[in-house]
Amino acid sequence: MIRRPIAALVLVSVLAVLGPGQAVRAGEPASRIVFDREIQPLLGQCVSCHGPGLAKAGLRLDNRAAATLLLKSGKRAIVPGRPGDSELLRRVASTEPGDRMPAKGEPLSDVQIIKLRQWIGAGAEWPIHWAYRPLVKPSPPSAEHSASTGPPQNPIDLFVLAKLAEHGLAPSAAADRRTLLRRLSYDLIGLPPRPEEIEAALNDAAPDWYEKIVERLLASPHYGERWARHWMDVVHFAETHGHDQDRPRVHAWPYRDYLIRSFNEDKPYTRFVHEQVAGDVLFPNDPWSIVATGFLAAGAWDESSLRDIREDTLDREIGRYLDRDDIVTNVMATFTSTTIHCARCHDHKFDPITQKEYYGLQAVFAGTDKADRLYEPDAATARRRRELFAQVRGPIALRVASCFPPAAFPAPLGLLLPPDATIRALLALPPPQLVYCGTSQFVADGSFKPASAPRKINVLKRGDIRQPGPEATPGALSCLPDLDARLLLPDSSKEGSRRAALARWLTDPKNGLTWRSIANRVWQYHFGRGLVDTPNDFGKMGAPPTHPELLDWLAVTLQESGGSLKPLHRMIVTSAAYRQSSAHNAAFAEKDADNRYLWRQNRRRLDAEAIHDAVLQISGKLDAAMGGPSVRQFHLSPGVHVTPNIDYQTFNPDDPANFRRSVYRFLFRTLPDPLMEALDCPDGSQWMPVRNASVTAIQALALLNDKFIVRQTEHIASRVQLIDRDPAGQILLLYRLALGRAPNGKEAAAVGDYAVKRGLANAARVLLNSNEFVFVD
């Protein structure tokens, strides 16, 4: 039944009389039409039939270029500036049942049709969402906004100063040297500066004293440890499967070492992405490229569904789709800051992402599973093994090959093969190792077997395995106007070639999503908030950038540097914006309470790892050894079925495992360390692009009563007493170790009296609970 036919006929008559661009209602000029609010929702109703997923009658209404093309009928749906010639407008105002659009559901209201006409008459401006626009490097603003705090340090400051001036704000004065050094040290290496380092910085008269510290910290191996931990949050890395059984993954840790190594080497970001998505295919002679694909297996794995039930069951197939969803979500959220998973059951409600595109990305990983894979830690050993293996022929070769997958040649092998030199040389080589990663090359475990070829993927109606739609083909996203969503696949039958094609798409210079995403993440960890404060969602439901030109400038600058992150760090931390004081300004806070425009530096609470590691450094117990299997700071015993029983409480606080940096802790997905959990350390069961930063009584109680903290403060007291026997000198040293400064007279007296009454260890615990220790200004 057609609604209000007489009103519709009158409207059609009015539209026919009015010329292009004229407003129907007085006071409603076309310039007032806001596309995102008034037009996009109308067109969004059409995209299910006229979008990239279906495009009925050859019409797509998801972007301007497609919507203005000539149709098979010889007409155009939208003719900018000429509403009378626009077929779309005629169809939405039609009263004929077979002609009116939308064909199903309620027709557009009179007001909506008027808005649509106004928009077309004004030229059908169709702004692209900021995140999908082509990357163009903007010119920094002029220096006219420089404040009395001194000249800008680099182009970053020009963008920040211009935005401050736009909102009637001004930057804060620079922080003092001690504050800057502490801020910089925690940011770049996750450890506090030592007293002698603070003393040297305070006494350095050179004009480049700060820049020298920046270079020293960027060159420190601790830099890789700090930034690898950030990345592990983003990709939800843990060393257990999660779900109902949460079995440990003994061989997941090499991926963590890969991250530390990559950050320390300042690996170009393009290479970093390529290795994690398809390193085994793109760089087959680099042993670390296999380890890098641990990224694809960073998330949970449902052992019950994917191994313990029959291969031919519906639950097994559901499990595979869900497992691929984890991989696809991880890839796209991490590298492009898109919420691709929202298109699993239907076209994305807010962003131009279709179900077809979502399942096209599932098809990329149709042959990928999560399992232990062999790799050679040493490239020279790998090359020698290949040379020797090539010399083995006939039945002997088959026997050698059959013994290769377990990662070690068993002793009986020598009895089966001739006392031969090639075989002896093979046996003498160090055995390969295993890494838990995304792969199609692994030893079958019961019914869990590698796919011989990429599995068939269907577009699932409403995400229901019982409603399979058309077969999906590997592809990417079409929302980037300058980048083809089709993947260049020389051989789509190989699962590795699909991943390699996606890796190249992700890092294409025209993929603004990828480059904006990483620039924003680096900024976030230096300021406590990204220029976009929803770092995993650059879509319409995410936050817009506070400084869009600065974000694009950083992204293009990163591209121009070859994708190396250290120059980006250097640029950010040497800026005047970064070096500001965090002091409060009541007048500015009224205008910008959240400090979105950076009129001061943000005061931030130390994360769990920084607190843990700083306590170890202060006590002198920090073990600086790098790499290797994760240390287990708990007792592990078998539980019901395979779910482990974990005991953190009775673990010896003086066990050497407790002295390693926290990045080397074994990370359970569902059974977190109580101390680290209290300090807001995520457990790996979910993505954590931005950590929670709560301030609770539980944290204070943990820092007072946790066995690790109690024992470490005893070690701190012993260290201080060995260095200085004088009680006053002990308090002075305690302050310098914990807070990086000397106490004032009142502080020295109060803490000294407390130490006499309660002991020096308890006095140390008081300082570790102070805001000055737990927060960085």
Side-chain angles (χ1 to χ4, degrees):
M1 180 177 179
I2 300 299
R3 177 174 56 88
R4 300 192 314 177
I6 296 177
L9 287 172
V10 171
L11 179 63
V12 171
S13 301
V14 172
L15 294 177
V17 172
L18 289 173
Q22 287 185 269
V24 174
R25 268 172 36 181
E28 283 289 337
S31 59
R32 290 188 59 184
I33 299 296
V34 180
F35 178 84
D36 285 349
R37 187 174 68 237
E38 298 173 291
I39 304 302
Q40 183 66 60
L42 303 182
L43 299 178
Q45 300 176 40
C46 311
V47 169
S48 59
C49 293
H50 299 290
L54 191 55
K56 281 187 176 180
L59 172 61
R60 284 178 57 174
L61 290 170
D62 59 310
N63 66 78
R64 189 179 192 273
T68 56
L69 288 175
L70 191 68
L71 301 173
K72 293 178 182 178
S73 64
K75 300 177 181 179
R76 284 183 169 85
I78 295 174
V79 183
R82 291 157 52 191
D85 295 334
S86 299
E87 180 69 0
L88 174 65
L89 200 59
R90 187 191 71 78
R91 297 290 292 272
V92 298
S94 174
T95 60
E96 298 298 323
D99 189 48
R100 191 260 300 174
M101 290 294 166
K104 298 178 181 179
E106 286 293 307
L108 269 61
S109 70
D110 296 348
V111 171
Q112 289 173 323
I113 295 174
I114 291 171
K115 294 285 188 184
L116 194 60
R117 175 182 174 77
Q118 290 175 329
W119 172 67
I120 295 175
E125 181 184 355
W126 198 317
I128 302 174
H129 183 64
W130 67 266
Y132 310 137
R133 293 172 191 158
L135 264 181
V136 178
K137 190 175 186 179
S139 297
S142 66
E144 63 181 303
H145 302 295
S146 296
S148 58
T149 52
Q153 298 296 316
N154 60 44
I156 287 174
D157 297 316
L158 297 176
F159 288 101
V160 173
L161 287 169
K163 187 65 70 171
L164 288 172
E166 180 184 327
H167 290 85
L169 303 167
S172 299
D176 62 77
R177 286 196 180 193
R178 187 189 72 87
T179 299
L180 282 176
L181 180 55
R182 191 166 185 262
R183 179 190 301 168
L184 191 63
S185 189
Y186 274 117
D187 271 10
L188 291 181
I189 66 171
L191 292 168
R194 300 177 187 276
E196 59 271 21
E197 293 170 340
I198 297 175
E199 195 68 22
L202 293 177
N203 295 319
D204 191 343
D208 63 343
W209 69 272
Y210 183 80
E211 288 75 12
K212 289 189 295 186
I213 295 172
V214 171
E215 296 308 315
R216 173 173 61 81
L217 294 174
L218 286 174
S220 167
H222 295 314
Y223 160 79
E225 294 173 324
R226 176 61 166 169
W227 285 81
R229 179 60 254 199
H230 290 326
W231 192 262
M232 289 155 66
D233 274 8
V234 174
V235 304
H236 71 323
F237 171 83
E239 297 173 81
T240 59
H241 290 330
H243 291 280
D244 56 332
Q245 298 186 8
D246 207 18
R247 187 195 296 270
R249 298 172 176 173
V250 180
H251 305 291
W253 62 267
Y255 174 67
R256 176 250 294 146
D257 280 5
Y258 159 81
L259 293 175
I260 294 172
R261 178 186 180 117
S262 296
F263 281 112
N264 278 335
E265 291 176 349
D266 197 21
K267 184 168 291 179
Y269 193 66
T270 294
R271 174 80 182 228
F272 189 56
V273 176
H274 283 180
E275 288 178 343
Q276 293 181 79
V277 177
D280 55 330
V281 181
L282 296 172
F283 314 106
N285 295 324
D286 181 355
W288 285 95
S289 66
I290 293 178
V291 177
T293 58
F295 162 78
L296 300 174
W301 187 73
D302 189 351
E303 185 174 358
S304 297
S305 297
L306 296 173
R307 191 199 70 168
D308 296 342
I309 60 177
R310 281 175 38 193
E311 167 69 23
D312 58 352
T313 60
L314 196 62
D315 285 343
R316 172 66 68 92
E317 193 63 15
I318 291 172
R320 284 188 179 134
Y321 271 93
L322 292 176
D323 196 50
R324 282 190 298 269
D325 176 76
D326 176 85
I327 296 174
V328 167
T329 300
N330 205 22
V331 170
M332 300 306 289
T334 297
F335 296 125
T336 67
S337 298
T338 55
T339 54
I340 184 71
H341 51 287
C342 293
R344 191 172 89 194
C345 301
H346 46 70
D347 289 346
H348 203 295
K349 294 293 186 184
F350 306 103
D351 298 331
I353 300 172
T354 66
Q355 248 198 315
K356 180 181 177 181
E357 290 173 336
Y358 167 82
Y359 284 101
L361 285 163
Q362 278 233 6
V364 170
F365 301 100
T368 306
D369 286 298
K370 299 171 182 173
D372 288 328
R373 178 178 178 177
L374 285 167
Y375 78 101
E376 298 272 9
D378 180 68
T381 301
R383 184 169 57 253
R384 179 60 176 156
R385 196 186 309 276
R386 287 195 301 268
E387 293 169 353
L388 291 170
F389 192 75
Q391 299 173 22
V392 182
R393 297 287 185 269
I396 293 177
L398 295 177
R399 290 181 178 178
V400 172
S402 69
C403 295
F404 187 73
F409 293 104
L413 182 64
L415 303 177
L416 297 173
L417 301 173
D420 182 271
T422 302
I423 300 301
R424 287 199 302 271
L426 271 170
L427 292 170
L429 291 175
Q433 293 184 16
L434 292 169
V435 59
Y436 191 82
C437 63
T439 181
S440 62
Q441 301 181 39
F442 59 93
V443 177
D445 182 9
S447 64
F448 177 52
K449 301 175 182 178
S452 57
R455 302 176 179 100
K456 180 181 177 182
I457 305 297
N458 292 95
V459 178
L460 303 182
K461 297 177 182 178
R462 302 193 64 79
D464 187 351
I465 192 70
R466 292 174 290 269
Q467 299 186 62
E471 183 174 355
T473 57
L477 304 183
S478 61
C479 56
L480 299 166
D482 291 347
L483 190 58
D484 198 336
R486 294 171 298 180
L487 300 178
L488 297 176
L489 290 170
D491 186 354
S492 64
S493 67
K494 295 182 178 179
E495 70 91 20
S497 69
R498 298 182 177 197
R499 290 187 285 113
L502 179 61
R504 294 188 185 99
W505 182 89
L506 288 167
T507 57
D508 191 292
K510 291 180 282 191
N511 191 334
L513 283 171
T514 296
W515 297 98
R516 289 183 178 108
S517 177
I518 183 58
N520 187 63
R521 290 193 195 281
V522 174
W523 183 276
Q524 169 196 320
Y525 288 115
H526 286 304
F527 283 89
R529 170 190 284 151
L531 295 169
V532 181
D533 64 11
T534 52
N536 269 21
D537 185 4
F538 280 9
K540 291 186 178 178
M541 297 305 288
T546 54
H547 301 71
E549 295 84 6
L550 174 56
L551 180 59
D552 281 11
W553 188 89
L554 292 170
V556 178
T557 300
L558 179 59
Q559 285 184 336
E560 292 172 345
S561 73
S564 296
L565 295 182
K566 286 188 179 181
L568 182 59
H569 288 297
R570 187 178 295 112
M571 180 75 73
I572 291 173
V573 301
T574 58
S575 69
Y578 176 84
R579 295 165 69 168
Q580 292 180 101
S581 163
S582 63
H584 184 68
N585 182 310
F588 290 170
E590 285 187 10
K591 296 181 179 180
D592 181 22
D594 291 337
N595 189 34
R596 295 177 63 81
Y597 301 114
L598 302 174
W599 49 269
R600 62 174 173 83
Q601 177 58 278
N602 292 307
R603 195 181 195 212
R604 289 170 283 156
R605 188 174 69 79
L606 292 177
D607 58 34
E609 290 85 353
I611 291 175
H612 177 276
D613 297 351
V615 169
L616 284 173
Q617 178 170 293
I618 293 167
S619 72
K621 293 295 183 180
L622 181 64
D623 180 355
M626 297 182 66
S630 298
V631 290
R632 301 188 173 194
Q633 300 169 342
F634 50 78
H635 294 302
L636 172 66
S637 58
V640 180
H641 303 299
V642 297
T643 306
N645 285 325
I646 303 301
D647 180 5
Y648 290 98
Q649 298 303 322
T650 64
F651 189 73
N652 180 7
D654 277 332
D655 190 292
N658 268 332
F659 302 155
R660 295 289 300 279
R661 280 204 76 170
S662 50
V663 72
Y664 299 112
R665 292 184 311 116
F666 188 94
L667 298 174
F668 259 95
R669 205 170 294 276
T670 63
L671 300 167
D673 181 302
L675 172 63
M676 303 301 278
E677 184 180 33
L679 299 176
D680 295 327
C681 182
D683 58 22
S685 62
Q686 56 188 328
W687 286 272
M688 193 60 61
V690 181
R691 284 198 184 184
N692 296 323
S694 62
V695 179
T696 68
I698 293 175
Q699 294 163 352
L701 290 171
L703 290 175
L704 283 172
N705 300 311
D706 183 86
K707 288 179 62 175
F708 170 80
I709 297 294
V710 170
R711 186 62 180 131
Q712 288 305 311
T713 54
E714 292 170 352
H715 289 309
I716 292 171
S718 297
R719 180 187 182 190
V720 167
Q721 289 164 340
L722 281 174
I723 296 173
D724 198 324
R725 294 182 177 275
D726 177 54
Q730 291 171 357
I731 300 302
L732 173 63
L733 181 56
L734 189 60
Y735 262 81
R736 284 181 171 165
L737 286 170
L739 304 182
R741 66 173 178 86
N744 60 35
K746 186 177 180 180
E747 291 169 333
V751 176
D753 288 346
Y754 186 84
V756 170
K757 295 176 183 176
R758 304 296 181 187
L760 194 59
N762 283 331
R765 267 193 287 166
V766 169
L767 291 190
L768 296 184
N769 257 283
S770 67
N771 282 348
E772 190 172 350
F773 175 76
V774 176
F775 285 83
V776 173
D777 284 330

